[in-house]
Amino acid sequence: MTAIPQGRTRRAALVAAICVGAVTGTAVLTGCGAEDPDAGTNGVGKLPADKIQAKTRSAAQGASAVRLSGTVVTSGRTYQLDMRLKADGGTGSVTSKGATFKLLRVGKQLYLKADADFWNQAGGKNGADGAGEKLNGKYVKVPQGDPAYRKFSGFTDKDVLLGGLLSLHGTLATDGHHDDAGTRTIRITGDKGSGGSLDVSLEGTPYPLRLVRGGGAGTLSFSDWGKDFAVAEPAKGETVDYGRQLPTS
């Protein structure tokens, strides 16, 4: 039988001891047989945080469509969004202060659709009591000069909305590998989380999948990247004019 050199035996024993220490401690050493969290991924998990953010912003900008859902807090008010967006339009629902309305944008034309209660409450503030029945379930054209257009059109604009949301604040850092509904992700943070966190897909295109905004300004999930959907002008019988400034609150 061939004798094993003592030096090789000592080295093997040392590696085994290091691996045992890694398992019982906090370190994870891929050389000790641990699974590489980036194996079989798109590789962005190995990049520094600023490079990951640049790649995921580029991926989001290049996608033809996206669906986003969750909450956005702006100017002290919370909006619950469920929107589908693409370059030439968007559609979905917005809920705020218990009232839900739908938004539809086709090109530059924005429409708002809500039930009678929404319009009756708004009418009380704008001198249009009793407008609810006329406007119930109808698409109301929002003039581009109306304050409501400036406030709500951004919710239907993919580039504007994502451009404002996908920037973390403060010093960027990676915060480990995670999982989002079965998809492996790498998380990046701003100022250790106080400036927000973003989970980026490690599978396929590095799209952003989950955003937690800094300062408690909301949490959003992103899905259906690149999945097209139809936006079309509503029929004339489904459209009415409000006749005055639309409500924004």
Side-chain angles (χ1 to χ4, degrees):
M1 179 181 297
T2 304
I4 299 175
Q6 289 186 356
R8 187 182 300 175
T9 303
R10 283 195 295 270
R11 285 195 297 272
L14 179 60
V15 171
I18 292 174
C19 288
V20 170
V23 171
T24 57
T26 57
V28 176
L29 302 180
T30 58
C32 295
E35 182 181 354
D36 180 0
D38 291 302
T41 71
N42 54 27
V44 298
K46 298 179 180 179
L47 300 177
D50 60 334
K51 298 292 186 183
I52 297 173
Q53 178 171 257
K55 280 188 172 293
T56 198
R57 285 176 64 90
S58 178
Q61 183 178 18
S64 59
V66 65
R67 180 175 184 175
L68 63 86
S69 58
T71 58
V72 171
V73 181
T74 179
S75 301
R77 185 164 180 179
T78 300
Y79 295 92
Q80 180 77 35
L81 307 179
D82 187 0
M83 302 295 301
R84 299 190 70 182
L85 311 173
K86 60 181 183 177
D88 60 349
T91 183
S93 65
V94 179
T95 300
S96 182
K97 292 186 177 180
T100 298
F101 53 92
K102 293 184 178 181
L103 293 175
L104 169 65
R105 182 176 62 83
V106 183
K108 292 185 178 181
Q109 182 59 62
L110 179 67
Y111 299 89
L112 189 153
K113 181 179 179 180
D115 62 16
D117 288 342
F118 174 91
W119 292 114
N120 285 334
Q121 292 175 16
K125 299 176 183 177
N126 294 276
D129 294 317
E133 292 307 317
K134 174 187 174 184
L135 303 177
N136 181 35
K138 299 289 187 179
Y139 285 99
V140 176
K141 280 189 175 183
V142 183
Q144 292 186 37
D146 195 292
Y149 189 96
R150 295 192 294 272
K151 184 166 186 175
F152 296 135
S153 62
F155 289 151
T156 67
D157 191 313
K158 173 179 172 287
D159 291 338
V160 169
L161 193 56
L162 294 184
L165 291 174
L166 296 180
S167 293
L168 303 178
H169 303 290
T171 303
L172 297 179
T174 55
D175 187 27
H177 292 70
H178 298 267
D179 180 280
D180 185 270
T183 299
R184 288 180 292 174
T185 66
I186 182 71
R187 181 172 297 169
I188 57 175
T189 62
D191 280 347
K192 298 181 179 180
S194 64
S197 68
L198 184 65
D199 282 26
V200 178
S201 176
L202 288 174
E203 301 177 16
T205 305
Y207 290 125
L209 297 183
R210 186 173 185 271
L211 170 71
V212 178
R213 302 181 72 202
T219 299
L220 287 166
S221 294
F222 306 92
S223 61
D224 292 347
W225 288 103
K227 293 185 179 181
D228 195 19
F229 60 95
V231 289
E233 297 275 359
K236 283 189 176 181
E238 297 177 328
T239 306
V240 295
D241 290 324
Y242 188 63
R244 55 186 54 78
Q245 181 176 304
L246 272 75
T248 59
S249 59

